[in-house]
Amino acid sequence: MTAVWRKSTRSGGNGGECVEVAVNLPGVVAIRDSKNPAGPALLVSPAAWSRFTATLR
């Protein structure tokens, strides 16, 4: 399965610190730096991602 990446709604539009997230992969959420799409991705469980985003709110 191929990751479908989307840019975070909190990322700025100026080409700066942008984060992309793929939530379509079974059992994992992938996070990467949009400036380096060929670079590594951080993989976390959906539960961990939920806790992380809830903390940010």
Side-chain angles (χ1 to χ4, degrees):
M1 179 176 273
T2 301
V4 176
W5 296 98
R6 68 173 181 82
K7 188 180 286 192
S8 168
T9 58
R10 298 290 183 172
S11 291
N14 63 0
E17 293 81 23
C18 297
V19 174
E20 292 179 325
V21 179
V23 295
N24 69 306
L25 303 169
V28 69
V29 175
I31 307 149
R32 73 178 182 186
D33 181 349
S34 65
K35 294 183 303 296
N36 187 12
L42 175 65
L43 304 178
V44 299
S45 71
W49 180 248
S50 241
R51 286 190 303 271
F52 174 72
T53 57
T55 301
L56 295 177
R57 292 183 193 127

